Amino acid sequence: MALPDTVTIQTLTGGAKTQPVKTDALILQEASNGTCKYSTLDDLRPFLLRANLIADGTALHTSTAETVLATFTVPANYWRAGEKLRVTASGEFGATATPALTLRVRAGGVAGLLLASFALTATAQTSKQWSLVADATARTVGASASFAPGYALAYLYGSGATGNQTSALVTVDTTASKAVCVTAQWGTSNVLNTIFSRTFSVEILPASATS
């Protein structure tokens, strides 16, 4: 069925007003002066791609292999120049003695591109919190897009906080889907050296919201 050229809405003052139909937009609400407030899908981009972990992840222990704690796939060709990726994660860990623990944020899975890396040293703990946040801005898009790592910080209870050890520009193929993930890697294998994710979010912020 074809859309009409105009639509009539009731104003807040009880009258009526005719508005043109915008086929590429959504009518969100009526303004106080009787006009429609439109919002395109571009306006809604920060709300269109947001992933949130709603269950505890699988615990990593008795291993020194880099392992994914949480992941979300960004669709192919989603990115636009100037947009920012923001990854936020937290969870629980335990450790014996003082093992090394490296947390990373990658695009493309455990063997993918490194967006952030945090070298930490745990202290003997049981059921304590870890957390991290990392940003990266898409300077360009395409098969050889350039991403600039930005603000990043990781915290491990009993060990304090540390910044990102990755600062170089990263080349990302945004024409293909990318699994954005947080990984962990213990320096010592022990059943008591354990970590899992409890919260995890991936957000794409529009260029207008990144300044």
Side-chain angles (χ1 to χ4, degrees), residues 57-164:
T58 301
L60 166 65
H61 59 80
T62 323
S63 172
T64 57
E66 183 179 0
T67 303
V68 173
L69 296 181
T71 185
F72 174 75
T73 299
V74 178
N77 297 307
Y78 185 87
W79 291 98
R80 296 190 179 176
E83 290 183 334
K84 178 183 289 185
L85 166 71
R86 176 169 295 160
V87 178
T88 308
S90 66
E92 193 173 288
F93 82 99
T96 182
T98 55
L101 174 63
T102 303
L103 299 175
R104 298 180 178 94
V105 178
R106 292 186 181 272
V110 72
L113 301 163
L114 187 62
L115 299 176
S117 179
F118 308 95
L120 298 150
T121 300
T123 56
Q125 305 288 346
T126 301
S127 301
K128 300 301 183 183
Q129 188 185 50
W130 65 269
S131 61
L132 69 78
V133 59
D135 290 347
T137 300
R139 288 187 168 183
T140 59
V141 295
S144 299
S146 178
F147 275 53
Y151 176 82
L153 192 69
Y155 171 79
L156 198 63
Y157 180 90
S159 302
T162 188
N164 184 12

